[in-house]
Amino acid sequence: MPVARSSRPFLPGLSSSRTTTPTPFPLLLSSNPSSSSLPRRGLIVSSPPPTRRLLTSFRYPPPLRCSSSMPAHVSTAESQAQWENCLSYSRAFWVSESVIAWNVDVGDGCCCLYASQTASLSVTDGGIQGHDVRIEIKEDSEGLPANVVEKFPHIRDYKAFKVPIGVAVKSMLKCQLAVAAFSSDGRCRDATGLQLPGILDELFSYDGPLGACYSADAVTLYLWAPTAQTVRACIYRDAASAEPQEIVELRELNGVWSVEGSKSWEGCYYTYEVCVYHPTTLSIEKCYANDPYARGLSSDGQRTFLVDLASNDVKPEGWDRLTDEKPSVLSFSDISIYELHIRDFSAYDQTVDPDIRGGYLAFTMEDSAGVHHLKKLSRAGLTHVHLLPTFHFAGVDDVKGNWKGIDNKMLETLPPDSDEQQAHITAIQNDDGYNWGYNPVLWGVPKGSYATNPNGPARVTEFRKMVQALNHIGLRVILDVVYNHLQGSGPFDKDSVLDKIVPGYYLRRNASGHVEHSTCMNNTASEHYMVERLIVDDLVNWVVNYKVDGFRFDLMGHIMKRTMDKAKDALCSLTMEKDGINGSSIYLYGEGWDFGEVSQNGRGINASQFNISGSGIGSFNDRIRDAVLGGSPFGHPLQQGFLTGLMLQSNGHDNGGRDNEEVMLATAKDHIQVGMAANLRDFEIADRTGKKVTGSEVLTYGGTPVAYALSPVETINYVSAHDNETLFDIVSLKTRMEISVDDRCRLNHLATSMIALSQGIPFFHAGDEMLRSKSLDRDSYNSGDWFNRLDFTYNSNNWAVGLPPKEKNEKSWPLIKPRLADPSFKPDRDHILAAVQNFVDVLQIRYSSPLFRLPTAKAIQDRVRFHNTGPSSVPAVIMMSIEDGHHGNPELPQLDQTYSHIVVIFNAQPSEVSITDPALSSKSFQLHPVQVKTTDEVVKRSSYDASSGCFTIPPRTTSVFVECR
């Protein structure tokens, strides 16, 4: 229902202001008519009028005094500060309407719950003052209910305190709240604030409309804010207006605030003014925030743009037909992924119009160097482009005119190992146009800095044009989503949104009530119902409104498995008939790392590698990455692996002697073989000792199982991603300095081929196929275009453009500097062209046979075999065969119409090797036709002798042999 609108002047920004005079809301009393105007037993209204005094036998706690444990010498001021500080913590949890959980031992004392509508609670030697309500809560000897323990396992051992029946709980939740514990003699033993997500979920979980809803003659706003005392919407005619054209009051129904406005609001902007208690300031604050369900923003990201995504005005030509025109993917096992940053793609591409370089529309330039490169990969078989964060993130101003830049010509004159380049870059790194974007502000709106105009609908239409263009060249689109944390928190941060709307709910807090930061910034809490709902709704928004084809979840292990399952179910339920989308084609995967407060299911069953198995959701396989390259991103930078020279060509790093290196190399080989079998936990191999074991019985150096997947589509195999050094850089760092750049380039290709020819889903970092370098920068998230350059003309791989930024790399500068200074490390254009062709070749090989893309665990177990195993095997050589049904093996169904048997051999040795396997003799193997025609003259020297079953493989080479039908 419409409400009266105010026309008085109002100048809100997106900060907050403190208020002590909030609009009144209903008195905090039971609404039970039998009690007339009096509260029920156990509920006390502070200093009520005489006619309302509570006439019951309820025993008031004696006046609050400090615990006798407080030292006698503590001054009154010191003790008051100590008690006031108690309310800065929220160590108690209101988990359901009738239960408060608190880790306090009351004994024969008592506990009380306090509320203040004006946030006037204070704790002094004389007691808790300023309360409107005081309620005694009693300990429940049966402890916390099972459903509470399941939802909040980190407080499983807390005491349960019962809240009396009849308390006006919903009104109390809009107040400052505290609990205090008293000893039997009335002394205060402890006091603290409360965390409210449990009771908010129980009382206010909501599945109705949220955000802006559009009809033929109205725009209606809905906001979930159950703890707010008042909510108003400030409507602006445009993005730059200093004053709103109108301010409207929203009305609340069970925690949801709404107002119906005129159709003329469409195309306008708005912010919410939310009057709410905030636990970080212990005050009632006026918070100014965007709509959490925003679908458009102003250029400064401080106002929500009212845009109807279903309107034809924001649809590119042919948009409604795009779903029917998408490149087909028959099975998730057919997917291959290319990870790309939007700005990297075209910032340096001189074949792109300068006005759209680094943005969405660069993907629509059919004749640009970058688009030609993507077309080449698509024709070879690549199926999906994974775009780094594209939502509204902090760290890059949407207005390009505000960016600072560097004279690249000046940088090019500096020495390759100089520290001057990074000094110039880092001096402006927070004011340029570059950031990866893993610092989310609002999830549901495209980032404005990638659009030609960040105001109005341009970011919507141009994002859609980008998706459309990529689909038309044969590539589906995956978005990198970051639901595990948010950039801002609190009532004053300009990047804070959710924590202004419902303070203390959206962000995960520790036992003291402070926000968890294990993900580097404000962790979100998907275990809370409305956080989970926001995540699922956001995913559906991107699929339905932008027709994207999948999602990569940053730090997926910090999200609950239940949330991931709900997301998958919600997307799979989308249909062509109902939604214009085939939801079953949407692929989900992410980082299943298990650490921080969620580790070991500390906040519920999380979406970690081991927990996610069986769900059909993919997770990154760090085991194969570490085994191929050596060590880990957190270990010594010179730790070598299977491919980088371990035991065979030492770089001088001490591995504990030759015998230990031999074990390390053989163990790495086991890890890789399990990974190449899609990291299936039940896949059987002969390990380095010759013992037959399953993938889950092969252990990492930390003692955890290597394998965790139950299906090949649950494994994302990779050796390089945006995080850490590029593939070429890590190979250049770990291999001994004396080897040639030719050999380093061959190792780069050997690594990508190991991923491309593995079972499971292969994942490639953009530029690895072009020997991409970031000048050995291990974390280039804010290193500007200079260190992140991609050159699709193949003239440079960006090696040796200066020492990488000091902040993340200085400890390794002594290792980096001599490598950058040595001109023999730098590849030339011929090396880059050869690398691109080799990558195209290996993609063509993968897609030449369905045997490289087996869809089930059983198919892999039945068909994939590893040879050259056990203690007598040739080191640094992996030999894999894949068998199809044929006359000699009628038990296997035939999948491949062309090849009956495939053998792939990866030789990481610096010399040629010959391997004989009697089981593969008397066959008619020949080199794969793609490799017969390749420009790589080395691989053409690969051979097979049928009489002996002997394969000969050149050094640092991947050779593929096929038996034709």
Side-chain angles (χ1 to χ4, degrees):
M1 178 182 295
V3 298
R5 295 170 184 161
S6 169
S7 59
R8 63 185 177 85
F10 196 78
L11 300 173
L14 265 188
S15 58
S16 303
S17 61
R18 187 163 297 165
T19 177
T20 56
T21 56
T23 303
F25 52 86
L27 187 65
L28 305 176
L29 300 175
S30 168
S31 59
N32 190 326
S34 65
S35 63
S36 184
S37 62
L38 297 180
R40 292 189 175 213
R41 172 187 172 91
L43 178 64
I44 300 97
V45 180
S46 275
S47 304
T51 57
R52 287 181 132 183
R53 287 200 181 277
L54 185 63
L55 304 177
T56 72
S57 59
F58 174 73
R59 180 174 63 84
Y60 283 80
L64 181 64
R65 295 190 298 274
C66 292
S67 170
S68 58
S69 63
M70 182 175 292
H73 65 271
V74 176
S75 69
T76 301
E78 288 174 328
S79 65
Q80 181 173 341
Q82 174 177 328
W83 282 115
E84 286 179 347
N85 189 52
C86 286
L87 300 186
S88 297
Y89 296 87
S90 298
R91 293 179 287 107
F93 299 72
W94 201 338
V95 292
S96 71
E97 186 171 9
S98 60
V99 177
I100 290 175
W102 190 12
N103 192 23
V104 65
D105 188 4
V106 177
D108 55 359
C110 67
C111 277
C112 284
L113 169 64
Y114 298 85
S116 169
Q117 179 182 343
T118 57
S120 301
L121 296 183
S122 62
V123 190
T124 68
D125 288 349
I128 290 187
Q129 300 177 351
H131 56 272
D132 300 312
V133 175
R134 177 174 57 182
I135 305 166
E136 183 176 14
I137 55 177
K138 296 184 179 296
E139 184 176 345
D140 185 346
S141 60
E142 295 185 5
L144 294 175
N147 65 317
V148 170
V149 172
E150 181 182 6
K151 182 165 184 173
F152 303 109
H154 59 299
I155 61 169
R156 64 173 66 249
D157 297 325
Y158 280 38
K159 301 286 196 308
F161 294 87
K162 300 289 288 185
V163 178
I165 297 174
V167 172
V169 171
K170 290 185 177 181
S171 295
M172 289 184 69
L173 294 175
K174 298 178 181 295
C175 299
Q176 180 187 20
L177 299 169
V179 288
F182 301 88
S183 59
S184 59
D185 61 357
R187 295 180 184 274
C188 179
R189 302 179 55 188
D190 203 350
T192 188
L194 290 101
Q195 298 187 38
L196 304 179
I199 189 170
L200 293 180
D201 280 353
E202 180 179 84
L203 298 183
F204 296 106
S205 293
Y206 169 75
D207 294 309
L210 288 171
C213 297
Y214 301 86
S215 64
D217 54 3
V219 177
T220 306
L221 304 180
Y222 297 90
L223 179 71
W224 186 77
T227 61
Q229 295 184 357
T230 61
V231 176
R232 302 196 298 176
C234 308
I235 311 296
Y236 298 83
R237 171 50 55 191
D238 55 49
S241 300
E243 297 183 3
Q245 66 179 17
E246 57 182 323
I247 300 172
V248 296
E249 304 278 348
L250 278 71
R251 291 182 175 177
E252 182 188 13
L253 178 62
N254 202 33
V256 178
W257 299 77
S258 63
V259 64
E260 183 179 282
S262 71
K263 187 67 173 176
S264 65
W265 282 7
E266 191 171 342
C268 293
Y269 296 80
Y270 68 104
T271 61
Y272 282 124
E273 176 199 279
V274 181
C275 185
V276 65
Y277 172 74
H278 209 292
T280 62
T281 61
L282 307 182
S283 300
I284 307 296
E285 306 287 359
K286 279 185 180 178
C287 297
Y288 296 97
N290 282 301
D291 191 328
Y293 277 72
R295 297 298 177 246
L297 288 171
S298 65
S299 62
D300 55 8
Q302 293 192 7
R303 293 176 186 172
T304 301
F305 177 53
L306 283 160
V307 55
D308 182 1
L309 298 184
S311 169
N312 289 329
D313 295 339
V314 291
K315 293 179 180 178
E317 184 180 353
W319 179 250
D320 289 333
R321 300 191 304 271
L322 183 60
T323 302
D324 295 326
E325 299 169 350
K326 282 184 176 288
S328 62
V329 176
L330 298 178
S331 166
F332 286 159
S333 61
D334 292 325
I335 289 175
S336 54
I337 300 171
Y338 187 78
E339 180 197 46
L340 180 63
H341 185 262
I342 286 178
R343 183 162 178 81
D344 288 351
F345 177 66
S346 60
Y348 274 89
D349 192 340
Q350 301 300 307
T351 64
V352 173
D353 185 325
D355 292 336
I356 62 175
R357 284 179 197 159
Y360 302 126
L361 292 182
F363 292 90
T364 68
M365 300 288 291
E366 293 186 9
D367 293 326
S368 73
V371 169
H372 276 299
H373 184 78
L374 291 182
K375 287 179 178 178
K376 184 183 299 183
L377 302 187
S378 174
R379 288 193 297 267
L382 188 76
T383 65
H384 287 64
V385 168
H386 158 167
L387 297 174
L388 266 66
T390 57
F391 47 75
H392 180 62
F393 56 80
V396 174
D397 196 314
D398 280 348
V399 180
K400 296 177 177 63
N402 295 335
W403 297 351
K404 294 179 180 179
I406 293 291
D407 181 357
N408 287 341
K409 292 190 180 298
M410 178 272 294
L411 295 179
E412 289 169 359
T413 66
L414 299 173
D417 61 339
S418 169
D419 64 357
E420 291 188 53
Q421 293 96 327
Q422 63 86 30
H424 287 293
I425 296 299
T426 55
I428 64 160
Q429 65 181 2
N430 296 321
D431 299 301
D432 64 359
Y434 197 90
N435 196 290
W436 279 347
Y438 290 97
N439 37 3
V441 177
L442 277 166
W443 293 321
V445 185
K447 176 63 176 168
S449 64
Y450 295 140
T452 57
N453 184 355
N455 288 312
R459 64 175 83 195
V460 173
T461 55
E462 292 175 10
F463 192 103
R464 287 172 162 175
K465 288 179 179 179
M466 173 184 67
V467 173
Q468 192 176 45
L470 284 166
N471 285 177
H472 285 165
I473 63 175
L475 295 167
R476 289 184 169 236
V477 178
I478 290 171
L479 298 189
D480 201 323
V481 287
V482 187
Y483 297 124
N484 63 86
H485 61 224
L486 289 164
Q487 174 71 17
S489 66
F492 307 118
D493 190 329
K494 68 179 180 63
D495 294 320
S496 175
V497 177
L498 298 178
D499 201 41
K500 291 177 179 176
I501 303 293
V502 190
Y505 178 82
Y506 286 96
L507 302 181
R508 185 179 290 136
R509 297 193 281 170
N510 62 21
S512 296
H514 300 140
V515 176
E516 294 279 9
H517 287 85
S518 58
T519 66
C520 299
M521 57 185 75
N522 308 288
N523 297 5
T524 52
S526 66
E527 59 270 27
H528 303 160
Y529 185 88
M530 295 302 288
V531 183
E532 179 177 81
R533 183 194 159 177
L534 178 56
I535 292 171
V536 174
D537 287 350
D538 192 65
L539 293 167
V540 171
N541 161 56
W542 286 108
V543 170
V544 172
N545 292 316
Y546 293 96
K547 302 186 189 299
V548 301
D549 306 289
F551 298 94
R552 177 266 190 191
F553 291 78
D554 185 61
L555 296 184
M556 182 175 68
H558 269 67
I559 300 172
M560 294 300 106
K561 181 179 183 295
R562 183 190 68 176
T563 305
M564 295 300 300
D565 288 338
K566 282 191 174 182
K568 188 170 185 288
D569 290 344
L571 295 173
C572 284
S573 70
L574 300 174
T575 64
M576 291 295 295
E577 296 75 19
K578 177 170 59 76
D579 311 287
I581 297 293
N582 176 14
S584 64
S585 68
I586 308 301
Y587 181 61
L588 308 181
Y589 63 102
E591 295 178 304
W593 321 136
D594 191 40
F595 68 97
E597 75 281 359
V598 300
S599 67
Q600 304 297 310
N601 299 322
R603 294 300 179 99
I605 300 174
N606 63 321
S608 63
Q609 287 171 327
F610 290 96
N611 288 340
I612 209 75
S613 62
S615 67
I617 297 170
S619 65
F620 284 94
N621 178 15
D622 53 330
R623 280 77 152 154
I624 195 170
R625 176 201 65 189
D626 293 347
V628 169
L629 300 177
S632 78
F634 313 104
H636 195 284
L638 293 185
Q639 176 62 62
Q640 292 174 292
F642 180 88
L643 179 137
T644 52
L646 178 61
M647 191 183 82
L648 300 174
Q649 285 192 318
S650 174
N651 59 19
H653 179 67
D654 184 7
N655 291 310
R658 172 94 179 172
D659 290 344
N660 194 50
E661 287 183 337
E662 186 174 348
V663 171
M664 290 172 65
L665 181 57
T667 301
K669 180 176 175 179
D670 286 347
H671 292 187
I672 295 169
Q673 289 175 153
V674 172
M676 295 189 75
N679 216 45
L680 297 173
R681 74 182 191 195
D682 297 324
F683 183 82
E684 294 182 343
I685 66 166
D687 69 8
R688 63 181 180 82
T689 68
K691 180 182 177 182
K692 194 172 184 179
V693 295
T694 62
S696 62
E697 292 173 325
V698 177
L699 303 181
T700 66
Y701 296 107
T704 57
V706 166
Y708 52 81
L710 291 176
S711 164
V713 302
E714 293 172 359
T715 293
I716 305 291
N717 278 325
Y718 75 116
V719 288
S720 174
H722 66 274
D723 284 320
N724 312 308
E725 295 88 348
T726 67
L727 176 58
F728 182 82
D729 282 352
I730 203 70
V731 167
S732 298
L733 184 62
K734 289 179 179 291
T735 52
R736 65 189 303 172
M737 292 190 65
E738 294 77 15
I739 74 170
S740 69
V741 67
D742 292 340
D743 285 334
R744 292 193 183 93
C745 294
R746 293 200 67 79
L747 290 174
N748 190 102
H749 174 57
L750 182 59
T752 56
S753 68
M754 293 177 82
I755 298 303
L757 301 179
S758 292
Q759 303 294 330
I761 293 178
F763 176 99
F764 309 101
H765 180 46
D768 280 348
E769 77 285 6
M770 301 185 296
L771 309 176
R772 181 185 191 174
S773 172
K774 297 179 182 178
S775 208
L776 287 164
D777 190 351
R778 67 173 283 105
D779 189 0
S780 67
Y781 81 101
N782 203 18
S783 298
D785 295 323
W786 180 256
F787 288 100
N788 286 284
R789 286 187 298 178
L790 275 175
D791 181 3
F792 290 108
T793 65
Y794 313 137
N795 287 314
S796 169
N797 77 328
N798 208 44
W799 171 263
V801 295
L803 285 169
K806 180 177 181 179
E807 180 187 3
K808 298 292 181 72
N809 301 280
E810 186 179 19
K811 289 182 179 180
S812 294
W813 275 3
L815 297 175
I816 294 172
K817 190 176 177 66
R819 288 165 170 80
L820 296 182
D822 188 340
S824 71
F825 273 72
K826 187 175 181 65
D828 58 29
R829 190 169 193 268
D830 286 341
H831 288 115
I832 297 170
L833 289 171
V836 172
Q837 187 56 54
N838 281 334
F839 186 72
V840 168
D841 288 348
V842 80
L843 281 178
Q844 289 178 334
I845 291 171
R846 178 175 181 83
Y847 288 97
S848 70
S849 172
L851 297 178
F852 287 113
R853 311 184 309 278
L854 297 172
T856 66
K858 185 177 187 306
I860 294 173
Q861 183 67 63
D862 289 346
R863 298 167 188 269
V864 176
R865 297 288 181 271
F866 289 96
H867 312 262
N868 185 45
T869 60
S872 61
S873 63
V874 178
V877 176
I878 290 175
M879 185 176 186
M880 175 181 70
S881 68
I882 315 171
E883 187 176 7
D884 197 16
H886 52 83
H887 292 303
N889 191 358
E891 296 180 2
L892 283 179
Q894 182 178 316
L895 302 178
D896 191 330
Q897 301 301 313
T898 306
Y899 306 126
S900 60
H901 216 141
I902 297 174
V903 173
V904 187
I905 304 176
F906 306 92
N907 177 19
Q909 290 207 21
S911 58
E912 180 180 279
V913 297
S914 293
I915 297 182
T916 300
D917 191 312
L920 298 174
S921 63
S922 302
K923 301 286 186 180
S924 55
F925 288 117
Q926 54 189 341
L927 197 61
H928 196 287
V930 169
Q931 292 189 321
V932 170
K933 298 176 183 178
T934 185
T935 57
D936 180 3
E937 296 300 323
V938 175
V939 74
K940 291 180 179 179
R941 301 204 303 262
S942 307
S943 64
Y944 165 73
D945 181 72
S947 61
S948 62
C950 179
F951 296 86
T952 301
I953 313 298
R956 297 188 171 109
T957 296
T958 297
S959 302
V960 182
F961 297 88
V962 292
E963 183 179 56
C964 296
R965 293 195 178 279

